[in-house]
């Protein structure tokens, strides 16, 4: 047993070590480069200058954003850098310019290896852009608030993202990305404000995160593998989705995806896989959905291989994407529609290896729900409510 004084000494030594390591790392404060915390002056240049200094350092470096409200115009924080341990500490709030962001991304990290973004609030101020879309006017494409592109070994911890124009976070062509303790919030009726979109990326985890938006909480596009999603609250929003896949004929693959301990409340879908009903050489293989709680969810479990808006260019509505080895374990709660489980698979490429275990879903809390199967193969075990259609 340690005595409490030994404990205190150990803690003290730890704090000293931490301090020394922080002193050893160079730190660059955006205010020293001219950033102004008045919420109005565009501080993008100052942020980029602080980034350049941290990126040029030949040892671990940090960029520091103090408390306060900083308006930051479109900014790309680009590597490769001279060190692979850059920390961006954000104590304050970054707000996007009012009006529209004239780029596909508001804040972007590109070609960076070894980055931590710690804390911070980013406010995309998407309201003007949403209003333009809702009025049916011709609007710019809209900006993703924070994009991680072509990067490796990235940690995003404790970030709050509010009101993005389109996606809140995008992980593109990157590997080794960990998102922890994020809070992503936009109104339930804001268009295309997906929480986190992952594409062409591998080894990505999203844990202990709250996502309330107007579109998918988390969506995974083509070329995505080894994704771990755990302890997520999702809703309002459209649920967690693999797809839409196969919009273009090039090969699409999504592999080894785990989604566990997720609560969906009032979402349009729960756990969804969605592919276009047209030719493709791609596949989805190895997906585990477990321990999900559905609270009044439109379509709790859904595979839809017939996606074809406007029914244009989808000969025979037959998806070329092969879906296999998808398991659903311990999925419970209530569906807002009678069909709580729906497998609408491709006539030419039936779903194989759908494995269901302990499904307890009701319709509106106390009514019997139904399951629907088309071109679906697999097995069911344990409690099955609605009764399995496989
Ligand atoms: C890396 O360091 C070298 C020498 O110190 C410097 O010339 C170069 O600009 C730095 N690279 C970056 C990306 O900042
Ligand atoms: C699947 O992904 C997980 C991370 O989610 C990883 O730990 C595991 O090694 C991957 N499995 C394979 C076979 O690559």
């Amino acid at each position: 047993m340690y005595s409490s004084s030994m404990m205190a000494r150990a803690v003290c030594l730890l704090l000293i070590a931490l301090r020394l390591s922080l002193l050893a790392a160079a730190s660059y404060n955006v205010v020293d480069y001219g950033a102004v915390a008045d919420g109005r002056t565009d501080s993008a240049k100052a942020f980029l200058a602080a980034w350049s200094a941290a990126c040029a350092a030949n040892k671990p470096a940090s960029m520091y954003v103090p408390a306060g409200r900083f308006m930051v115009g479109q900014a790309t924080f680009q590597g490769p850098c001279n060190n692979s341990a850059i920390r961006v500490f954000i104590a304050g709030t970054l707000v996007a310019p009012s009006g529209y962001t004239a780029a596909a991304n508001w804040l972007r990290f590109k070609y960076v290896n070894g980055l931590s973004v710690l804390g911070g609030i980013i406010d995309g101020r998407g309201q003007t852009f949403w209003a333009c879309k809702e009025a049916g006017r011709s609007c710019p494409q809209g900006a993703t608030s924070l994009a991680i592109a072509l990067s490796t070994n990235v940690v995003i911890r404790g970030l709050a993202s509010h009101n993005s124009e389109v996606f809140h976070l995008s992980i593109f062509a990157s590997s080794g990305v960990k998102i922890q303790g994020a809070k992503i919030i936009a109104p339930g009726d804001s268009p295309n404000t997906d929480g986190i979109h992952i594409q062409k990326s591998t080894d990505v985890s999203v844990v202990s995160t709250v996502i309330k938006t107007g579109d998918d909480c988390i969506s995974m596009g083509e070329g995505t593998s080894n994704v771990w999603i755990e302890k997520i609250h999702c809703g309002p929003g459209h649920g967690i989705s693999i797809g839409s896949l196969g919009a273009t004929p090039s090969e699409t693959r999504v592999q080894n995806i785990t989604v566990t301990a997720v609560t969906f409340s009032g979402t349009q879908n729960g756990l969804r896989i969605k592919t276009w009903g047209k030719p493709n050489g791609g596949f989805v293989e190895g997906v585990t959905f477990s321990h999900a709680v559905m609270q009044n969810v439109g379509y709790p479990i859904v595979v839809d291989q017939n996606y074809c808006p406007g029914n244009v260019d989808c000969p025979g509505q037959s998806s070329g994407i092969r879906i296999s080895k998808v398991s659903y374990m311990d999925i419970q709660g209530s569906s807002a529609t009678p069909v709580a489980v729906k497998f609408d698979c491709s006539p030419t490429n039936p779903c194989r290896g759908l494995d269901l275990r302990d499904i307890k879903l009701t319709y509106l809390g106390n009514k019997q729900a139904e399951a629907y199967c088309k071109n679906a193969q697999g097995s069911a075990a344990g409690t099955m409510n609605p009764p399995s259609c496989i």
Side-chain angles (χ1 to χ4, degrees):
M1 283 289 273
Y2 287 108
S3 71
S4 62
S5 73
M6 276 174 78
M7 265 309 250
R9 233 166 70 198
V11 167
C12 193
L13 285 172
L14 196 73
L15 287 177
I16 290 169
L18 198 69
R19 239 188 111 117
L20 285 175
S21 76
L22 282 177
L23 285 175
S27 180
Y28 303 93
N29 187 329
V30 294
V31 170
D32 296 337
Y33 290 85
V36 183
D38 63 359
R40 280 179 294 134
T41 310
D42 188 349
S43 294
K45 279 205 176 108
F47 274 63
L48 289 168
W51 169 262
S52 291
C55 182
N58 286 298
K59 56 180 180 175
S62 57
M63 167 174 160
Y64 182 61
V65 181
R69 214 173 141 79
F70 295 89
M71 200 273 267
V72 180
Q74 197 286 324
T76 295
F77 303 98
Q78 195 156 323
C81 296
N82 278 341
N83 74 83
S84 56
I86 299 187
R87 291 158 172 242
V88 178
F89 285 101
I90 310 176
T93 300
L94 277 60
V95 301
S98 61
Y100 313 127
T101 304
N105 304 284
W106 169 33
L107 305 167
R108 177 168 57 158
F109 290 92
K110 192 175 172 188
Y111 302 127
V112 182
N113 172 32
L115 167 74
S116 307
V117 178
L118 306 170
I121 301 174
I122 59 172
D123 182 350
R125 294 214 269 189
Q127 292 87 346
T128 314
F129 178 73
W130 309 332
C132 173
K133 271 191 149 173
E134 273 151 21
R137 295 202 300 274
S138 102
C139 317
Q141 61 182 327
T144 290
S145 280
L146 176 62
I148 305 295
L150 299 145
S151 293
T152 53
N153 303 319
V154 177
V155 173
I156 297 176
R157 188 180 302 142
L159 177 79
S161 177
H162 300 161
N163 300 331
S164 54
E165 288 180 2
V166 288
F167 298 177
H168 284 261
L169 255 76
S170 131
I171 312 297
F172 178 75
S174 294
S175 69
V177 181
K178 294 183 177 154
I179 299 173
Q180 301 167 340
K183 256 196 189 137
I184 297 174
I185 297 172
D189 60 358
S190 55
N192 303 111
T193 51
D194 296 55
I196 302 171
H197 181 68
I198 304 165
Q199 183 134 348
K200 291 196 197 295
S201 294
T202 188
D203 298 322
V204 177
S205 64
V206 183
V207 302
S208 303
T209 285
V210 173
I211 306 172
K212 306 178 177 200
T213 71
D215 209 305
D216 291 337
C217 286
I218 301 176
S219 57
M220 286 160 269
E222 58 150 342
T224 298
S225 60
N226 302 359
V227 176
W228 186 272
I229 294 170
E230 183 178 5
K231 294 200 190 103
I232 308 292
H233 169 94
C234 169
H238 294 183
I240 293 183
S241 186
I242 293 175
S244 310
L245 301 175
T248 55
S250 59
E251 193 189 353
T252 294
R253 56 173 71 192
V254 172
Q255 238 171 330
N256 186 17
I257 309 293
T258 302
V259 178
T260 188
V262 179
T263 301
F264 295 91
S265 69
T267 50
Q268 193 182 77
N269 306 285
L271 304 161
R272 175 167 64 164
I273 301 175
K274 184 174 165 191
T275 77
W276 282 72
K278 55 187 188 178
N280 194 284
F283 63 85
V284 174
E285 186 184 84
V287 181
T288 304
F289 295 120
S290 62
H291 312 303
V293 175
M294 306 285 169
Q295 298 166 341
N296 193 36
V297 169
Y299 303 95
I301 292 178
V302 56
V303 173
D304 175 7
Q305 292 210 265
N306 285 303
Y307 185 57
C308 191
N311 279 318
V312 180
D313 205 16
C314 301
Q317 288 287 107
S318 158
S319 176
I321 293 180
R322 288 159 290 138
I323 297 177
S324 66
K325 298 186 191 155
V326 183
S327 59
Y328 300 85
M329 284 184 296
D330 180 25
I331 313 293
Q332 50 180 291
S334 70
S335 173
T337 65
V339 181
V341 177
K342 184 174 181 183
F343 296 117
D344 185 1
C345 298
S346 166
T348 48
N349 298 281
C351 296
R352 291 176 209 278
L354 299 175
D355 177 15
L356 284 79
R357 189 177 295 263
D358 296 325
I359 308 296
K360 297 173 201 162
L361 293 167
T362 58
Y363 168 41
L364 296 179
N366 55 10
K367 297 193 179 68
Q368 178 64 46
E370 295 161 38
Y372 170 92
C373 286
K374 195 169 151 196
N375 309 311
Q377 303 167 4
S379 62
T383 309
M384 288 300 302
N385 197 1
S388 172
C389 57
I390 287 184

